[in-house]
């Protein structure tokens, strides 16, 4: 690392904590679903709307960011993400009891911290991309690994907290988790932040839509999000069936195994990725993902199903950050609009993929394996899109 890039270590730390905060907002509330049902008498049907609201809010933020971030400024927007994340977690502890229907307070809190999550999702990657680091694809992979480690941390620490101090004290833990984004306000307020494209105005959406490579990038991100979330949503079910764990333990063990696998690959790639060909690694990851889905959907041996789940965590790890690292240098003037649309596409895939798997499973008499077999299409399309990139790049050069 050069002397010039060392001063950006604080920027990198702030972005690491930003991705950990995103993991907290995404994973903490689902651990409270059964408690909401019991203590607040919120129906399971309403509880099912909580992740949908979180996802849709992020999608809206992604779209808005494409239009306004360059005008407002990166520093103000990323500090706002910390404020919203902290406020949403604190509101979750107090707001439900202030409404006749606690569900209203829960949803308001979710929307507030989902705004923070959506902002850091859009802004974290371009902030790091604009820093003068060597081997940016490796730095980007390591950055995204902190979401995985954050997911593991919030699940494990929250579980231990509930075990020893009781789930009745969950409000205290919600406020404790809020300390991380509150502290990160100082980091983002004082660290150096460079404007992407050297301060030049990035391309608008209309100009981006005219680029064939942009549409390849969009499809890549949809497939990356769908490949990851289609399996992750059912990870707990695999842990339960393969290991014979209780439902509650299975809900925690499955997602943890999946997140550990993802985080390990991203961290290793962050260390050694500069020695690898990223596009070849993406193709290999896509092929491994196909194998993992086939193992999970076609194997009659429960342990092989669990192995498929874990392999999937390894295989999808590089897809999201890898797509950003491949496409952003090839669209150098994409600016905030490019990063926002990539984030939106990843979220869209993360919403559509699990929905498709669930609907197909329902058509085949709630046969989850049938749904996951259809999910094999996502990594196959991803491989095809990666293979298209050299041809599109050469065509553009001519």
């Amino acid at each position: 690392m050069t002397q010039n890039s060392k001063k950006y270590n604080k920027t990198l730390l702030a972005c690491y904590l930003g991705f950990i905060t995103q993991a907290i907002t995404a994973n903490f509330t689902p651990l409270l679903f059964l408690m909401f049902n019991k203590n607040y008498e919120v129906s399971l049907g309403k509880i099912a709307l909580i992740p949908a609201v979180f996802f849709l809010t992020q999608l809206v933020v992604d779209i808005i960011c494409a239009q306004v971030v360059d005008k407002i400024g990166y520093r103000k927007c990323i500090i706002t993400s910390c404020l919203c994340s902290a406020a949403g977690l604190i509101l979750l502890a107090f707001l439900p009891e202030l409404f006749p229907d606690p569900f209203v307070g829960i949803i308001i809190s979710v929307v507030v911290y989902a705004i923070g999550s959506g902002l850091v999702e859009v802004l974290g990657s371009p902030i790091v991309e604009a820093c003068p680091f060597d081997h940016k694809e490796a730095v980007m992979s390591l950055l995204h690994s902190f979401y995985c480690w954050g997911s593991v941390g919030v699940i494990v620490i929250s579980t231990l907290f509930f075990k020893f101090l009781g789930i009745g004290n969950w409000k205290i833990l919600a406020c404790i988790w809020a300390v991380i984004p509150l502290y990160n306000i100082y980091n983002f307020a004082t660290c150096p932040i460079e404007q992407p494209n050297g301060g030049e105005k990035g391309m608008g959406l209309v100009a981006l839509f005219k680029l064939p490579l942009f549409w390849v990038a969009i499809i890549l991100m949809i497939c990356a999000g769908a490949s990851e979330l289609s399996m992750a949503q059912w990870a707990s079910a695999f842990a339960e069936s393969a290991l014979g764990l209780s439902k509650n333990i299975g809900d925690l063990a499955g997602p943890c195994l999946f997140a550990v696998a993802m985080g390990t690959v991203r961290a290793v790639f962050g260390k050694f990725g500069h020695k690898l060909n990223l596009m070849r690694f993406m193709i290999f990851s896509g092929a491994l993902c196909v194998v993992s889905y086939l193992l999970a959907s076609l194997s009659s041996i429960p342990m092989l199903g669990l192995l498929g789940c874990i392999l999937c965590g390894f295989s999808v790890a590089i897809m999201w950050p890898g797509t950003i690292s491949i496409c952003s240098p090839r669209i150098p003037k994409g600016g905030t609009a490019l990063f926002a649309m990539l984030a939106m596409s990843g979220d869209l895939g993360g919403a559509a993929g699990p929905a498709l798997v669930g609907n197909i499973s329902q058509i085949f008499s709630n046969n989850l394996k049938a749904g996951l077999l259809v999910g094999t299409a996502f990594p196959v399309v991803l491989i095809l899109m990666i293979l298209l990139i050299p041809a599109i790049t050469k065509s553009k050069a001519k």
Side-chain angles (χ1 to χ4, degrees):
M1 184 175 291
T2 64
Q3 188 65 34
N4 183 46
S5 63
K6 285 184 178 179
K7 70 176 184 178
Y8 292 92
N9 284 342
K10 189 173 184 179
T11 309
L12 200 55
L13 172 63
C15 290
Y16 287 163
L17 291 177
F19 274 66
I20 289 173
T21 298
Q22 187 184 22
I24 292 170
T25 57
N27 292 282
F28 178 62
T29 302
L31 300 177
L32 304 172
F33 282 174
L34 292 179
M35 188 279 301
F36 289 157
N37 176 248
K38 181 179 179 181
N39 291 5
Y40 291 145
E41 297 182 350
V42 178
S43 69
L44 293 179
K46 285 185 175 181
I47 288 174
L49 293 175
I50 294 175
V53 169
F54 179 78
F55 234 161
L56 287 173
T57 302
Q58 284 200 155
L59 280 169
V60 172
V61 170
D62 293 343
I63 296 170
I64 294 175
C65 278
Q67 303 294 330
V68 305
V69 169
D70 286 327
K71 298 176 183 177
I72 298 174
Y74 269 69
R75 194 180 303 276
K76 291 179 181 178
C77 289
I78 199 67
I79 289 175
T80 299
S81 80
C82 298
L83 284 170
C84 289
S85 297
L89 289 166
I90 293 170
L91 287 173
L92 185 65
F94 301 102
L95 210 54
E97 295 181 1
L98 299 181
F99 286 87
D101 183 358
F103 181 69
V104 176
I106 294 171
I107 287 297
I108 292 173
S109 305
V110 169
V111 169
V112 173
Y113 69 59
I115 292 172
S117 178
L119 283 169
V120 78
E121 182 179 52
V122 172
L123 302 176
S125 294
I127 286 175
V128 171
E129 184 72 24
C131 295
F133 294 120
D134 298 325
H135 313 303
K136 287 186 181 179
E137 68 279 0
V139 175
M140 191 69 69
S141 178
L142 186 61
L143 170 68
H144 283 258
S145 77
F146 276 83
Y147 177 84
C148 305
W149 303 128
S151 299
V152 174
V154 72
I155 293 170
V156 172
I157 293 173
S158 297
T159 301
L160 292 174
F161 182 94
F162 296 151
K163 178 176 178 61
F164 292 107
L165 297 178
I167 197 169
N169 291 312
W170 69 271
K171 295 179 182 180
I172 296 174
L173 185 57
C175 294
I176 291 173
W177 286 128
V179 170
I180 294 177
L182 286 174
Y183 165 72
N184 215 22
I185 291 173
Y186 168 76
N187 286 331
F188 277 121
T190 57
C191 72
I193 295 179
E194 298 295 333
Q195 187 77 7
N197 308 318
E200 297 179 15
K201 181 176 175 59
M203 298 174 69
L205 290 177
V206 175
L208 282 173
F209 288 151
K210 295 179 180 178
L211 298 178
L213 182 58
F214 172 73
W215 289 105
V216 171
I218 291 297
I219 297 172
L220 273 174
M221 286 299 288
I222 291 173
C223 291
S227 297
E228 177 184 331
L229 272 297
S230 295
M231 182 65 78
Q233 180 161 325
W234 304 107
S236 61
F238 278 114
E240 183 184 354
S241 61
L243 300 179
L245 300 174
S246 67
K247 175 89 169 87
N248 290 336
I249 297 299
D251 285 345
L252 300 180
C256 273
L257 286 172
F258 189 88
V260 166
M262 281 185 63
T264 300
V265 172
R266 287 177 176 177
V268 171
F269 195 89
K271 184 71 175 176
F272 303 105
H274 63 280
K275 299 179 180 179
L276 302 173
N277 182 300
L278 179 56
M279 291 184 63
R280 290 178 183 174
F281 194 84
M282 285 276 283
I283 292 172
F284 170 78
S285 295
L288 182 61
C289 191
V290 171
V291 171
S292 71
Y293 269 89
L294 291 176
L295 262 179
S297 59
L298 299 179
S299 174
S300 58
I301 302 173
M303 191 57 69
L304 286 180
L306 179 63
L307 178 61
C309 172
I310 298 172
L311 281 178
C312 188
F314 284 117
S315 68
V316 301
I318 202 63
M319 290 180 178
W320 191 301
T323 298
I324 295 173
S325 294
I326 287 173
C327 296
S328 59
R330 289 173 170 82
I331 311 178
K333 295 184 179 181
T336 307
L338 172 63
F339 284 96
M341 294 306 293
L342 291 179
M344 184 206 73
S345 302
D347 285 339
L348 181 61
L356 177 63
V357 169
N359 283 321
I360 295 297
S361 300
Q362 185 175 346
I363 291 173
F364 287 88
S365 303
N366 294 325
N367 184 352
L368 179 58
K369 290 187 175 184
L372 288 176
L373 184 59
V374 173
T376 309
F378 301 127
V380 169
V381 174
L382 181 137
I383 292 172
L384 293 175
M385 291 298 104
I386 291 290
L387 293 173
L388 271 178
I389 290 177
I392 293 175
T393 305
K394 287 180 182 178
S395 175
K396 180 182 177 182
K398 292 178 181 180

